[in-house]
Structures are given as C-alpha cells and as structure tokens.
Amino acid sequence: MGMKIITQIRQMQAESNKLRHQGKKIGFVPTMGALHEGHLSLIRQARLENDVVVMSIFVNPIQFGPEEDYQTYPRDFSRDEELAKDGGVEIIFYPAVEEMYPQELLTFVNVERLTDGLCGKFRPDHFRGVTTVVAKLFNIVKPHRTYFGQKDYQQAVVIKHMIEDLNFDIELVIVPIVRDSDGLALSSRNTYLSQKERASALVLSKSLQQAKELLDSGERHSKNVISRMNDLIKGEKLARVQYIEIVDSQTLEPVEIVEKEVLIALAVIIGKTRLIDNMVLKYN
Ligand code: PAF
C-alpha cells in the first residue's frame, strides 16, 4: 500500500482496529518530525519486526517549558514525508494541536521519581508532557511495539515504567544512539548550531569517551570521572555544562562508586542550544 497521512484521531483508531483485525503487527515510532538518521534507524528496526509501521509527527506543546523552543522547533513536513516514505513508513499520523488537545487538558500521566533527576531537574513539566502525549498516542495508534531512541535515555526509562505501571500491552524497543562520523549524537536541535557551535558540540561525545577511558583503566569514583569531564568541557568557550551525572542505569539514582551498569548522562548548553548525550557502561 502507498503511504497514508492521517490527521484525525478517529480515522487513525479505525485504521489500527482494521489492521489488528487482519492480524497485522503494528510498529509505532513517535516523533516530533525534523527527521534525521536517528529516526530512520527507529523506522528500520520497526520495519524488521512488524507488518506495518506507523510514525507520528507531532510537536507536543505540553512538553516544552515557557522559555523553551516550542515556537522555533524545526518543522518541515514535506521533507519528513519524503524521508518517511523512503524509509518504508505505511502511515504518518500527523494531527494538529487542536485535534490532540481540543479542550482544557485535565488528565495527565505522571511518572514519579524517575523524572526528578537528570533532565527532569531542569525541565520541570517536560516528562509529564511526554508521558501524557505518549499515553494518548498509544490509545490512538494501538501499536504492538514502540520504538524509542537511546539518545533520550531518561525518556525511554520513564516510558518503560509507564507501560508497566499502566499495563499498556506494548513492547518497548530501545534503539542505540546514531552519531555523525565525528561523534556528534544526531538530534533535531543540531540544526540550531552554527558551524563554530557544531565544532564545540563535539565536546559532549568527547567527554563521554574520556569518561569511558578513565573507567576502563580502573577509575571507580564517579566524582573523579565527572570532574575530568567538567574540566574538558570548561575548555570549550561556547559550552556551559547544565549537568553531568553518573547514575544506576535502571533506577537513575546517582552512584558514588561505578559498578554494574551505569548511565553517564550530560546536558550542555552550546550558545543557546541545549544538547544531551549519554553512554551506558557495565563494569564488575
Ligand atoms: O522524543 C520525542 O521526539 C518526543 O519526546 C516524543 C516521544 C515524540 C513525545 O512527544
């Protein structure tokens, strides 16, 4: 079948009901558009594991803070449409804000504790906005499997918990970070960077690489690793650290001594652009 673009919730639900009735497995990739190779890797994985791939494109206002980039977030539907079609997406769900939020929203999904630290500390209502829209999208798209990128690691852990807590009958698949050849993790927000800023932004992946080298050579104290990362980033004039944390990869609680599986995560502001990156490492 050719690619369909559906803008109405009722129509999307009817389509998913029909597909499910035909015994088709639905793979779902939620996005805010401005597609890049990271999104395409989610689509590819979904293609491999399902009969039909649905991708949503919706810049979700309720996950942006008042000072954040909701208005300026990159939007280019015709480009996204081409990329989705080439990637093998069967259905794009592309609702307007009024379709998703037709009345004052009084019901929110809030995952506690896991959303307190890391990005949650600096983006107070962000995860509430994400879990609320993703829960709505699950009820609209009715997928069997859903695909999230590891770049937004905390988001993936939060969604996993929500799926379990609320008994969504959906399998969550987390797909590795896609990087440019020089190490920069792909993000729709990279389009904000000037050439100079883009060069500075390499400090995120470099600092993670440095952390890995320290840990590989036997360092086990988080604070030493974090302090070395801070030093490296301080050397970049355009970069300002928002946070660097080493946490348990499941609970997201900070660890003092690195053992078992940890997440090293950081947010750095480059000029006016906030970028995040992370690495999961396992030691005995
Ligand atoms: O990761 C994103 O692009 C968004 O947070 C998501 C999951 C599409 C919800 O708006």
Side-chain angles (χ1 to χ4, degrees):
M1 72 193 205
M3 188 174 74
K4 280 188 190 159
I5 297 164
I6 297 180
T7 58
Q8 304 301 306
I9 291 171
R10 281 278 172 235
Q11 197 191 338
M12 185 65 242
Q13 287 172 320
E15 193 69 37
S16 291
N17 287 341
K18 194 176 83 192
L19 290 166
R20 281 181 161 261
H21 192 72
Q22 292 167 350
K24 298 260 168 71
K25 294 283 185 226
I26 303 172
F28 175 45
V29 181
T31 82
M32 300 204 299
L35 301 183
H36 51 66
E37 204 36 60
H39 298 110
L40 299 184
S41 79
L42 301 177
I43 293 170
R44 267 195 295 278
Q45 190 68 29
R47 275 248 58 80
L48 290 175
E49 298 175 350
N50 303 277
D51 300 307
V52 175
V53 177
V54 179
M55 183 178 76
S56 62
I57 297 182
F58 179 63
V59 184
N60 174 36
I62 68 165
Q63 71 185 72
F64 289 81
E67 306 299 315
E68 293 184 355
D69 55 347
Y70 174 66
Q71 296 298 341
T72 52
Y73 197 82
R75 292 161 170 89
D76 189 346
F77 185 72
S78 27
R79 181 177 170 277
D80 289 344
E81 190 185 345
E82 278 309 304
L83 288 170
K85 200 191 289 169
D86 292 348
V89 168
E90 272 89 3
I91 300 173
I92 300 183
F93 178 57
Y94 181 50
V97 172
E98 303 71 44
E99 178 71 6
M100 289 296 279
Y101 301 115
Q103 57 181 4
E104 188 190 354
L105 188 68
L106 300 178
T107 309
F108 293 88
V109 177
N110 196 32
V111 175
E112 299 187 356
R113 211 163 67 220
L114 289 172
T115 57
D116 290 344
L118 303 168
C119 291
K121 211 180 285 172
F122 300 91
R123 306 187 71 190
D125 288 329
H126 169 69
F127 287 111
R128 184 181 82 148
V130 170
T131 42
T132 301
V133 83
V134 170
K136 284 165 72 70
L137 290 166
F138 285 170
N139 285 328
I140 295 166
V141 175
K142 308 177 192 230
H144 296 86
R145 297 192 186 84
T146 187
Y147 296 79
F148 280 74
Q150 197 200 305
K151 222 296 247 70
D152 297 298
Y153 188 96
Q154 185 176 18
Q155 169 171 280
V157 171
V158 166
I159 296 292
K160 177 166 181 278
H161 221 88
M162 178 188 84
I163 287 176
E164 290 166 4
D165 285 349
L166 298 184
N167 305 100
F168 281 107
D169 191 6
I170 298 171
E171 183 191 333
L172 172 68
V173 182
I174 300 176
V175 179
I177 298 179
V178 178
R179 297 177 182 282
D180 269 338
S181 55
D182 57 8
L184 184 68
L186 296 194
S187 160
S188 302
R189 292 190 167 96
N190 291 351
T191 58
Y192 298 147
L193 300 172
S194 70
Q195 218 171 348
K196 270 198 188 140
E197 289 172 340
R198 198 195 167 290
S200 290
L202 292 180
V203 79
L204 281 92
S205 57
K206 278 190 195 148
S207 72
L208 287 168
Q209 208 48 50
Q210 183 196 47
K212 179 177 184 313
E213 281 159 25
L214 279 171
L215 290 163
D216 285 351
S217 64
E219 177 65 72
R220 286 294 172 269
H221 289 88
S222 296
K223 78 172 174 6
N224 294 343
V225 176
I226 291 171
S227 131
R228 289 285 294 277
M229 292 174 74
N230 254 311
D231 290 345
L232 186 80
I233 299 171
K234 273 201 195 111
E236 274 301 329
K237 271 210 303 287
L238 300 178
R240 182 168 62 78
V241 172
Q242 189 172 67
Y243 71 79
I244 303 175
E245 288 206 51
I246 303 187
V247 300
D248 179 287
S249 67
Q250 307 296 309
T251 65
L252 306 185
E253 296 292 339
V255 297
E256 273 179 42
I257 301 292
V258 174
E259 52 182 3
K260 298 185 261 179
E261 198 176 80
V262 294
L263 167 78
I264 310 180
L266 74 165
V268 178
I269 295 162
I270 308 279
K272 286 188 181 148
T273 304
R274 181 180 179 278
L275 298 177
I276 57 172
D277 200 349
N278 70 74
M279 198 181 256
V280 177
L281 294 167
K282 202 171 180 173
Y283 296 94
N284 293 314

